[in-house]
Amino acid sequence: MPCTELEALVADPRLAAAGLREVAERGAKAMAAAVACDGCEVWIWRSSAEGDRTLERVASFGPQLARSPLESVASDLALVGAPIAVRTDDGHAVSCTALGVHGAAVLVRRDSAAVPETAHLGPLAARFGELLAAQLPRAELEASSRWLLTRSELERRAATALAGVRTVDELGGLIEALAEELFPIEYSGIYFVDPGSGRLTLVYAKGLTEAERRSAERTAGQRHPGQVIRTGQPLDVEDTEA
């Protein structure tokens, strides 16, 4: 597919003073045209001074999805950088492609069997992501940079530490320790399926007494982790604060 409009966009020096919304809206339209799609949503990572990082939709061209697939694939996009194809419940064919490390684009074909092919957008998509990032406050960009550096270091240490893991208990403890470096954890549990019994075994728990730990393991199959493992169906948790 021709990328003429997107190429012109990322090469336009006037965009430096355009503003986030204008850049995002023009980019959404150009990306949709580049892959012959009905619509495109542009999402970027927003960071706070406290280190929180959330995806925000900053532009949409054409139809908007009732529910964005980025909720489940955003971390995969950031890790592998490759486009991820999904199909929505209402029959739309969707492809999610990373905008460098700064966000992602969701490209939509309505009622189509052909998932958008976006691999050829790689370098242009990354340059578009840089354009979006240039519109963000300096303090926010610095917060994102710190987060990315922390994660890169964490991944390096994780790879080294995993090489020395010998038991599931050690694995549970390692995962918990690495996760806590990214965000504060008050209560948590890590379960594995015991190969002998097929039951969920709680290999690490934080914030639980021994009695609560035994109860959590005994009832694991009745709660969300057990249901997901048994049925393979995703579940929505509307309120995780409770």
Side-chain angles (χ1 to χ4, degrees):
M1 293 291 178
C3 298
T4 307
E5 189 175 346
L6 186 58
E7 290 171 342
L9 177 74
V10 299
D12 188 349
R14 295 170 296 178
L15 283 181
L20 178 61
R21 298 290 172 179
E22 181 180 343
V23 173
E25 287 169 3
R26 290 179 59 184
K29 183 179 179 181
M31 291 193 75
V35 291
C37 281
D38 298 302
C40 175
E41 297 179 356
V42 174
W43 294 71
I44 61 170
W45 288 108
R46 302 301 303 263
S47 295
S48 68
E50 293 75 25
D52 291 336
R53 219 164 174 255
T54 57
L55 275 171
E56 177 186 337
R57 183 168 59 192
V58 292
S60 180
F61 171 76
Q64 290 187 9
L65 296 173
R67 179 177 176 181
S68 174
L70 286 181
E71 295 173 9
S72 58
V73 303
S75 59
D76 297 325
L77 276 171
L79 284 171
V80 303
I84 296 176
V86 296
R87 194 168 297 282
T88 63
D89 294 337
D90 51 7
H92 297 346
V94 177
S95 184
C96 306
T97 192
L99 302 176
V101 297
H102 302 292
V106 179
L107 292 139
V108 183
R109 283 192 180 134
R110 288 182 287 194
D111 307 319
S112 173
V115 173
E117 175 55 57
T118 61
H120 64 292
L121 293 179
L124 289 174
R127 287 169 62 189
F128 175 46
E130 294 290 343
L131 280 175
L132 292 170
Q135 308 300 319
L136 298 176
R138 180 174 178 177
E140 188 172 342
L141 286 176
E142 290 174 348
S144 279
S145 296
R146 287 194 298 272
W147 186 90
L148 288 168
L149 287 170
T150 299
R151 189 169 111 169
S152 295
E153 172 61 17
L154 193 63
E155 289 170 359
R156 185 192 64 77
R157 286 192 289 106
T160 302
L162 282 168
V165 169
R166 294 291 178 267
T167 68
V168 292
D169 289 330
E170 290 177 0
L171 180 59
L174 173 61
I175 293 172
E176 182 73 16
L178 294 171
E180 191 156 12
E181 291 193 41
L182 289 177
F183 45 83
I185 299 171
E186 187 175 359
Y187 296 98
S188 67
I190 296 175
Y191 298 81
F192 288 107
V193 177
D194 182 84
S197 66
R199 295 176 59 86
L200 284 168
T201 300
L202 183 59
V203 297
Y204 192 91
K206 180 178 179 181
L208 303 181
T209 66
E210 185 56 35
E212 289 171 334
R213 178 189 174 112
R214 289 197 299 270
S215 175
E217 186 170 72
R218 186 175 62 253
T219 61
Q222 303 166 20
R223 290 175 288 109
H224 293 298
Q227 286 181 286
V228 171
I229 289 172
R230 286 201 319 272
T231 66
Q233 298 297 313
L235 291 169
D236 295 326
V237 182
E238 295 182 1
D239 180 10
T240 58
E241 290 183 3

